[in-house]
Amino acid sequence: MLDEVVEFAGDVLPGGCAAPPYSESAFLAELGDRLRSSRLRCALSRRELARRSGISERYIAQIEAGKGNVSIVLLLRLASAIHGSQPQAA
């Protein structure tokens, strides 16, 4: 299975010869923009999102500014906190 992953993504893995087809800083900035817009769309303050997700308000601000390199687990917690704030469809 590992061989299949390496074959599939070999060019972008560390040590590969191709440069990543993206800018990490642009990706983090886009992620931050999306987090902020989702939070505002649900009328959540950073303080409330921090309370619901268990992530500090300061770290949420860093992520929204494109400065925080957030883990998948923290993204899951943020998404769950935001999703839980959305009105239920009738």
Side-chain angles (χ1 to χ4, degrees):
M1 178 126 177
L2 179 59
D3 291 336
E4 293 170 0
V5 172
V6 171
E7 183 179 334
F8 176 75
D11 289 339
V12 296
L13 290 173
C17 59
Y22 55 84
S23 161
E24 290 177 6
S25 60
F27 174 80
L28 291 174
E30 177 68 22
L31 179 66
D33 290 343
R34 288 181 183 207
L35 175 61
R36 182 183 301 107
S37 65
S38 294
R39 177 178 62 77
L40 294 174
R41 187 174 46 253
C42 294
L44 287 173
S45 66
R46 281 189 189 138
R47 178 171 288 166
E48 181 61 16
L49 181 57
R51 187 188 68 76
R52 291 178 182 206
S53 67
I55 299 168
S56 76
E57 212 177 320
R58 185 176 188 163
Y59 192 55
I60 290 171
Q62 288 178 336
I63 295 167
E64 288 183 354
K67 306 288 185 205
N69 193 352
V70 64
S71 72
I72 297 295
V73 172
L74 291 185
L75 280 177
L76 177 62
R77 286 171 47 189
L78 289 166
S80 294
I82 289 171
H83 180 72
S85 71
Q86 295 175 347
Q88 296 297 319

